[in-house]
Amino acid sequence: MGLKIWFNTGLVDEADAKISVFDHGLLYGDGVFEGIRVYSGRVFELDAHIKRLYESALAIRLSMPMTKEELVGAIETTVKANGIVDGYIRLVVTRGVGCLGLNPFTCKPSALFIIASSIQLYPEELYEKGMRVISATTVRNHPLAIPPQVKSLNYLNNILAKIEALDSSVPEAIMYNHEGYVAEATGDNIFIVRNGVVCSPPVEAGSLEGITRDVVMRLARREGLEVVEKNLTRYDLYVCDEFFLTGTAAEVIGVVEIDGRTIGDGKPGPITRRLREKFFAYAHGKGQ
Ligand code: PXG
């Protein structure tokens, strides 16, 4: 038996959840999405994900086919129908079926589907040992071309960087912006720790306003750590004491090597490990 998928107006069997070849989400990558976790039966940071989704849609003039309240109901219905307690939700809104040609206003209505399933991005071992990354040569999209805050269906920029990583036999690549400052990884935000201070590049450097990033910053401050947002260079990554990535899929994961250079003592650092623990306690409702 397959999954139950929310498909526009209600649940259908996985086999019946089919998108037209004339959908502009497919033809042009014209649409937006969210990846959301479910922890201990609760949808994690749902309000923040809903807010980001509606803002992404607004930014690209995509009309949402339902109200926020209706969408929350659809998400909860889909999670329940698939018996998800700890899992992952992929929520996609596309421009919908239209004519051939870019004009988005020929597409009516927008298409919306919700998949509630499970995800494991990296093997458990990688979280214990930490991951190796490289600096991508693919430059992050210019923030004035495609606003990085929009979680759009256009991921080619990130995919090209991901290919560089995989070609180098590492799981992730660090992307720099057009000015050479650190932006983000291909599907994660970046943090470093230096002299006990937790630093992350500002979103203006060209990253998504990560919801995991936000939670981790709050938890770090609650732990009494100093947290600063500032532009980082490749040098800052090379000389930092600790390095970690955050994202819905990856959660909090230590980086122990970049471009063949070892970070710290080559293991995920103490602040990284502490924030990862605090993150899970919070996610499972034990650290409010
Ligand atoms: N930057 C980019 C480019 C992302 O795509 C993040 C940062 C982290 O944001 P959140 O809000 O998730 O903390 C993302 C999110 C996947 C997958 O399948 C990727 C993301 C989310 C869910 C699944 O690789 N990226």
Side-chain angles (χ1 to χ4, degrees):
M1 230 187 52
L3 296 172
K4 292 281 183 197
I5 310 291
W6 184 280
F7 200 67
N8 295 319
T9 52
L11 292 172
V12 301
D13 288 333
E14 181 182 323
D16 298 323
K18 291 192 180 127
I19 292 281
S20 162
V21 293
F22 292 101
D23 192 300
H24 279 213
L26 179 62
L27 289 175
Y28 300 111
D30 188 354
V32 294
F33 77 103
E34 284 294 321
I36 312 171
R37 285 268 183 180
V38 183
Y39 290 113
S40 297
R42 284 186 313 137
V43 182
F44 186 61
E45 300 292 299
L46 181 56
D47 290 351
H49 282 285
I50 296 281
K51 181 167 183 286
R52 186 169 69 186
L53 180 72
Y54 277 76
E55 285 176 357
S56 286
L58 183 64
I60 68 163
R61 291 188 62 188
L62 173 68
S63 68
M64 289 295 292
M66 55 174 87
T67 65
K68 289 182 181 176
E69 292 71 26
E70 287 166 342
L71 184 55
V72 167
I75 292 169
E76 279 164 359
T77 300
T78 313
V79 168
K80 210 168 274 170
N82 291 285
I84 303 294
V85 178
D86 286 287
Y88 175 74
I89 300 161
R90 173 62 59 102
L91 197 178
V92 180
V93 189
T94 79
R95 193 75 68 172
V97 172
C99 303
L100 293 175
L102 288 180
N103 185 350
F105 304 125
T106 66
C107 309
K108 287 203 176 65
S110 310
L112 183 151
F113 61 87
I114 306 167
I115 307 167
S117 182
S118 57
I119 188 174
Q120 174 149 35
L121 194 61
Y122 301 121
E124 196 53 41
E125 200 197 0
L126 208 56
Y127 289 91
E128 280 148 32
K129 293 192 172 159
M131 70 155 75
R132 296 159 60 218
V133 301
I134 56 148
S135 293
T137 60
T138 302
V139 172
R140 184 80 182 102
N141 282 333
H142 194 296
L144 298 180
I146 300 180
Q149 297 95 326
V150 174
K151 199 162 166 59
S152 85
L153 296 180
N154 272 278
Y155 261 59
L156 264 185
N157 183 224
N158 313 55
I159 289 166
L160 292 178
K162 185 83 169 183
I163 288 171
E164 289 186 57
L166 299 174
D167 280 346
S168 303
S169 305
V170 300
E172 255 301 349
I174 304 306
M175 302 185 76
Y176 298 80
N177 67 19
H178 59 289
E179 292 176 314
Y181 292 114
V182 175
E184 60 184 340
T186 67
D188 306 295
N189 291 109
I190 293 175
F191 284 85
I192 60 168
V193 182
R194 194 166 178 216
N195 302 325
V197 179
V198 177
C199 305
S200 184
V203 288
E204 299 80 53
S207 70
L208 186 75
E209 292 180 26
I211 289 167
T212 320
R213 173 182 184 271
D214 233 46
V215 168
V216 167
M217 282 180 154
R218 265 189 279 139
L219 294 175
R221 289 193 172 113
R222 200 192 283 178
E223 285 293 289
L225 294 162
E226 190 184 339
V227 180
V228 297
E229 293 180 69
K230 63 168 189 174
N231 269 324
L232 301 175
T233 62
R234 189 178 299 214
Y235 166 85
D236 294 312
L237 304 185
Y238 285 172
V239 304
C240 68
D241 303 320
E242 298 187 34
F243 188 159
F244 60 93
L245 306 178
T246 65
T248 294
E251 300 170 314
V252 178
I253 187 160
V255 173
V256 294
E257 187 190 295
I258 176 165
D259 300 336
R261 297 154 194 256
T262 303
I263 308 294
D265 63 0
K267 297 189 203 116
I271 291 176
T272 304
R273 281 188 277 119
R274 187 157 122 224
L275 290 176
R276 182 170 162 76
E277 270 166 37
K278 293 288 167 194
F279 176 79
F280 283 117
Y282 174 76
H284 289 281
K286 294 178 196 128
Q288 316 291 354

